[in-house]
Amino acid sequence: MSTTAISTSTSQRKKVTTLSFRQKKERGELITMLTAYDYPTAMAMDKAGIDAILVGDSLAMVVLGYETTLPVTMDEMLHHARAVARGAKSALLVGDMPFMSYQTSIEKAMENAGRFLQQGGMDAVKLEGGRERADAVRAIVGAGIPVMAHIGLTPQSINQLGGFRAQGKTASAAKRLLEDAKILEDAGAFSIVLEAVPARLAEFISKQISIPTIGIGAGAGCDGQVLVTHDLLGLFDRFTPKFVKQYANFHDMMNKAFTEYIDDVETKKFPAVEHAIEMMDGEWDEFQRLTATEVE
Ligand code: KIV
């Protein structure tokens, strides 16, 4: 008797959770995270096997064209979060809480964190800041919402930091960052982004806490890495931070494609016959007969 094998396997990976994050750290496996702000990018990343997707407030700069991350609003973040959630089914989805969505009160922080899960389809939220955000982190986690913390260069505080500058370069600043990491771990954060801090400090912090650190400009000693996708793809040509590895130059590719399109249209190379929609001769003849009668 022949048996027909019916494959029950689907191409979809198992959903990544905050627990998977912790297990990866325990096993010494590195965590991968990238930013996404739209459906096709999220889908491509998910398919490639990324662990986590951050709908970062970098949206403000790399997609919306602002000079800083400060102007982006909750509603704008949610709009993009929903698109990403429609595209990625397996990666852990993290919504980045925008400027002033969590700083003014714990209640507001909880409410906006909740919106990312209820209205944005996210699995977790990220917020910037050290010990001064511990109460907000505790309250959000207490409401059942996983929180990724973010210390070092925190772009929402550039006016206080004096620009996009590396942090933790002096002994006392480094000690403060280590303390912040421990405080945020105690407050219940499931992971911490370390941005633009010395590599050896990031490695030291990573070893001192049990939750995974995700580095950006923080060297290879973190438990995972994140990059802003527009930097990685070379889509954002205003500036590229030193710590970025550019894997493609989409800006140049787009420029070439757009220039060729303009040229093709202007020289009538596009659309060609193969791009046209056909109509049966009989229908065309009938159409001509009908319109000829109307003209008469
Ligand atoms: O908004 C963002 O893209 C971020 C990453 C740089 C971690 O916060």
Side-chain angles (χ1 to χ4, degrees):
M1 193 178 84
S2 78
T3 54
T4 309
I6 298 169
S7 170
T8 50
S9 72
T10 64
S11 57
Q12 203 168 304
R13 291 180 291 141
K14 222 174 129 205
K15 175 77 183 168
V16 179
T17 63
T18 55
L19 179 65
S20 336
F21 256 53
R22 187 178 278 258
Q23 287 169 339
K24 275 204 146 191
K25 172 159 180 149
E26 283 163 6
R27 291 198 292 260
E29 292 169 12
L30 293 169
I31 296 165
T32 56
M33 180 159 96
L34 283 171
T35 64
Y37 320 95
D38 61 57
Y39 171 81
T41 311
M43 198 158 62
M45 267 172 203
D46 205 40
K47 202 169 161 195
I50 201 83
D51 289 318
I53 298 179
L54 172 69
V55 183
D57 66 350
S58 46
L59 165 75
M61 298 175 71
V62 300
V63 175
L64 303 180
Y66 292 114
E67 291 292 324
T68 70
T69 59
L70 305 189
V72 74
T73 64
M74 261 312 288
D75 286 342
E76 287 167 331
M77 290 299 298
L78 288 172
H79 176 74
H80 289 265
R82 283 190 287 271
V84 167
R86 286 191 285 269
K89 301 296 170 207
S90 300
L92 179 81
L93 304 180
V94 185
D96 206 4
M97 298 195 65
F99 184 54
M100 285 298 124
S101 69
Y102 57 97
Q103 290 93 338
T104 52
S105 74
I106 302 287
E107 289 70 29
K108 192 158 178 197
M110 289 171 70
E111 195 182 307
N112 283 323
R115 289 185 72 195
F116 267 111
L117 271 67
Q118 273 189 326
Q119 299 167 24
M122 298 287 100
D123 304 310
V125 297
K126 176 171 86 59
L127 55 84
E128 296 182 6
R131 63 199 69 195
E132 68 283 7
R133 296 290 158 240
D135 288 343
V137 171
R138 202 171 289 107
I140 298 170
V141 173
I145 302 168
V147 176
M148 177 177 276
H150 180 161
I151 58 175
L153 169 55
T154 45
Q156 290 176 18
S157 307
I158 54 157
N159 292 313
Q160 208 166 32
L161 301 177
F164 293 100
R165 316 157 71 93
Q167 300 295 308
K169 288 175 79 171
T170 64
S172 61
K175 182 167 174 282
R176 193 173 164 86
L177 277 182
L178 172 64
E179 288 165 2
D180 279 344
K182 289 182 173 172
I183 290 168
L184 291 162
E185 176 178 24
D186 284 347
F190 75 92
S191 175
I192 305 183
V193 169
L194 299 178
E195 179 164 355
V197 300
R200 55 177 150 180
L201 172 64
E203 184 170 359
F204 188 84
I205 293 175
S206 304
K207 287 186 175 142
Q208 293 286 312
I209 59 177
S210 60
I211 57 173
T213 59
I214 309 294
I216 172 161
C222 295
D223 303 304
Q225 297 292 327
V226 59
L227 278 179
V228 171
T229 295
H230 284 53
D231 290 337
L232 172 154
L233 294 178
L235 251 175
F236 183 65
D237 79 329
R238 218 156 66 198
F239 69 88
T240 307
K242 169 183 180 293
F243 54 73
V244 168
K245 179 170 174 187
Q246 199 172 301
Y247 289 80
N249 194 331
F250 274 33
H251 183 80
D252 283 0
M253 282 166 69
M254 281 188 354
N255 199 273
K256 185 168 174 289
F258 299 150
T259 312
E260 275 178 32
Y261 167 76
I262 292 165
D263 188 62
D264 276 2
V265 171
E266 287 175 352
T267 59
K268 292 188 179 270
K269 277 193 219 129
F270 177 82
V273 177
E274 65 266 30
H275 306 120
I277 298 167
E278 290 299 330
M279 187 174 179
M280 301 296 284
D281 287 347
E283 294 300 330
W284 180 248
D285 293 346
E286 175 64 1
F287 168 73
Q288 285 194 313
R289 193 186 63 76
L290 289 174
T291 48
T293 316
E294 269 169 29
V295 170
E296 281 164 15

